[in-house]
Amino acid sequence: MTAPELALVLVGFGHVGRRFVRLLDEVAERLDFEWRVVAISTRRHGSVVDADGVDVDRARSLVESGQPLGRLDSEPRERSGLDVIRQVARLLPDEAAEGRLVLVESTILDIDRGEPALSHVRAALEAQMHVVTVNKGPAAFAYDELESLAEAVDREFYFEGAVMDGVPVFNLVREAMPVVRVDGFRGVINTTSNFVLSALEQGQPLDQAVREMQARGIAEADPSLDIDGWDAAAKTAALVNVLMGGSMTPHQVQRTGISEVRAGDVKAALASGRRIRLVARASRHDGSLTASVEPELLTADDPLAGLADTENALYLTTDLLGEIGIVQRSGDLTQTAYALLSDISRISLRLRDWTER
Ligand SMILES: NC(=O)c1ccc[n+]([C@@H]2O[C@H](COP(=O)([O-])OP(=O)(O)OC[C@H]3O[C@@H](n4cnc5c(N)ncnc54)[C@H](OP(=O)(O)O)[C@@H]3O)[C@@H](O)[C@H]2O)c1
């Protein structure tokens, strides 16, 4: 079997994007596809387009030392992520037609509208690219539209890393649970707020815990998105839309963050054998869907109460399989990068199926 040769367009080259390209090298001999990066686009570090393949090691060094990517480009110029996507599609029409172009989207989320990722995904699908993204915006703001567009142009739109990093949530339901109806869920799905609540239990100040999450590349670029519950609300909307057939944005999720939770509250809960956790939940009643993200006081026997530090868990309520729990014992950048890799691997599998027919 020949391994498909994929041309990757990286829009976003921050913590996740750079970890992703290193991971591709680290597991090179296990990959079922060949790859080259043909473009990288960032917001403040410029962009590079090279149909023959960008030197990703040099690109990483440039960004990590604060220098512009344009130094690697034969015709450096200012371009947006959308410009880069369209330029690559023009440069590589055969790869586009053969389904070998993949947008790897890892920009930061604008919680007002789900941009810029939403426009990047739309433009890439329109240019016949497959899309993989770790950004919550597309599935949280426009899942139906983008899924229909992907189907219409016969390309894949995957976003496993949008919730619980590389731990399969969407793929588990999609691949392994046919016919099953998801009627609700309950979970701890924001790593930074869970880490902060655990730190408060240990007597560490909130600011220090947030700084640690930033240093590890886990907190959102704007950590108030984590603390105010927006990140969890975006993930909740994505889960409702994809797993429960909803049509919700993060703004329709009832939301309270943890900024009002005091160290004293957390310690008092602990002293009485309970724990405060930021809980995301959704349910279906008489055909309508409701969703919320709120700090909850949990008894010790609640499986969510035992989640400390960077642990996450999601419990799905289903009609045919009862309650199913997915637990992530530790979350880090490698797992988020793996989400992109696993999504690309599924695209490669599909390309192999095509060529063998
Ligand atoms: N970090 C995690 O553990 C984690 C886990 C799961 C999901 N995610 C999601 O992954 C995404 C990326 O996270 P990250 O930690 O890698 O963030 P990051 O380090 O802040 O990197 C974001 C990247 O996006 C670029 N960018 C921003 N706006 C852009 C635009 N309009 N056009 C082109 N590039 C743009 C930035 O460029 P400049 O640097 O030049 O500004 C940077 O390269 C986010 O959506 C996040 O929610 C992250």
Side-chain angles (χ1 to χ4, degrees):
M1 264 189 291
T2 34
E5 287 175 28
L6 303 177
L8 309 181
V9 179
L10 308 188
V11 177
F13 197 52
H15 292 98
V16 175
R18 298 199 303 276
R19 183 68 191 97
F20 166 69
V21 292
R22 277 204 296 126
L23 185 63
L24 287 176
D25 272 341
E26 286 164 18
V27 297
E29 74 285 1
R30 287 188 252 161
L31 296 178
D32 55 3
F33 55 88
E34 307 276 335
W35 62 274
R36 73 186 193 285
V37 169
V38 292
I40 303 177
S41 164
T42 70
R43 183 181 42 179
R44 295 164 303 170
H45 295 84
S47 62
V48 51
V49 175
D50 185 342
D52 295 328
V54 174
D55 180 339
V56 285
D57 289 336
R58 283 193 64 203
R60 272 183 36 230
S61 314
L62 283 173
V63 168
E64 281 165 9
S65 57
Q67 297 177 68
L69 287 168
R71 292 194 177 183
L72 300 179
D73 200 304
S74 55
E75 293 173 34
R77 65 186 120 122
E78 245 186 57
R79 327 167 171 92
S80 67
L82 290 175
D83 295 335
V84 167
I85 290 166
R86 291 173 184 145
Q87 185 180 347
V88 170
R90 280 194 305 275
L91 278 174
L92 297 170
D94 292 344
E95 265 123 325
E98 291 161 14
R100 293 193 290 114
L101 287 187
V102 182
L103 170 68
V104 182
E105 219 283 351
S106 66
T107 62
I108 52 175
L109 173 65
D110 160 11
I111 196 63
D112 288 335
R113 298 177 303 125
E115 294 290 1
L118 214 157
S119 296
H120 293 153
V121 173
R122 197 182 281 130
L125 290 171
E126 283 166 351
Q128 291 186 288
M129 293 183 191
H130 299 285
V131 173
V132 300
T133 181
V134 285
N135 199 305
K136 295 156 274 285
F141 282 87
Y143 173 66
D144 278 348
E145 177 213 321
L146 297 173
E147 188 63 20
S148 304
L149 177 57
E151 211 171 298
V153 298
D154 199 18
R155 293 292 179 266
E156 304 297 344
F157 163 45
Y158 293 145
F159 40 81
E160 188 55 65
V163 177
M164 287 173 75
D165 308 321
V167 173
V169 173
F170 300 111
N171 289 338
L172 176 77
V173 175
R174 189 174 359 215
E175 298 290 323
M177 292 167 54
V179 186
V180 170
R181 192 182 65 215
V182 176
D183 285 325
F185 60 82
R186 184 170 173 273
V188 165
I189 53 177
N190 176 260
T191 303
T192 297
S193 59
N194 205 52
F195 187 84
V196 165
L197 290 171
S198 302
L200 292 178
E201 286 170 353
Q202 312 293 322
Q204 202 183 327
L206 185 143
D207 296 357
Q208 192 181 324
V210 170
R211 277 200 300 278
E212 186 170 340
M213 285 289 91
Q214 285 175 310
R216 285 161 64 173
I218 291 177
E220 288 296 310
D222 170 4
S224 67
L225 287 181
D226 295 304
I227 301 303
D228 294 340
W230 278 117
D231 174 80
K235 289 171 175 165
T236 299
L239 289 166
V240 166
N241 297 342
V242 181
L243 303 185
M244 299 176 69
S247 183
M248 203 177 261
T249 75
H251 300 272
Q252 290 160 309
V253 175
Q254 189 181 315
R255 179 189 52 84
T256 308
I258 61 164
S259 54
E260 300 299 315
V261 177
R262 301 281 159 245
D265 304 331
V266 170
K267 284 187 188 148
L270 200 57
S272 65
R274 293 177 291 177
R275 282 205 151 99
I276 297 176
R277 291 290 176 260
L278 185 66
V279 177
R281 55 168 80 231
S283 57
R284 189 194 307 277
H285 288 296
D286 301 329
S288 67
L289 301 172
T290 53
S292 64
V293 169
E294 284 161 344
E296 290 185 18
L297 186 60
L298 307 175
T299 52
D301 59 352
D302 189 314
L304 299 183
L307 300 168
D309 300 329
T310 58
E311 294 175 333
N312 279 198
L314 182 68
Y315 288 82
L316 304 175
T317 309
T318 75
D319 62 342
L320 303 180
L321 290 174
E323 192 179 46
I324 301 199
I326 307 161
V327 180
Q328 182 183 29
R329 283 293 174 212
S330 65
D332 61 22
L333 277 174
T334 302
Q335 298 186 14
T336 309
Y338 171 74
L340 294 169
L341 193 156
S342 71
D343 282 344
I344 294 176
S345 197
R346 293 181 65 220
I347 291 167
S348 143
L349 207 62
R350 174 183 152 172
L351 289 171
R352 280 167 178 245
D353 280 354
W354 273 355
T355 47
E356 276 159 29
R357 264 188 218 144

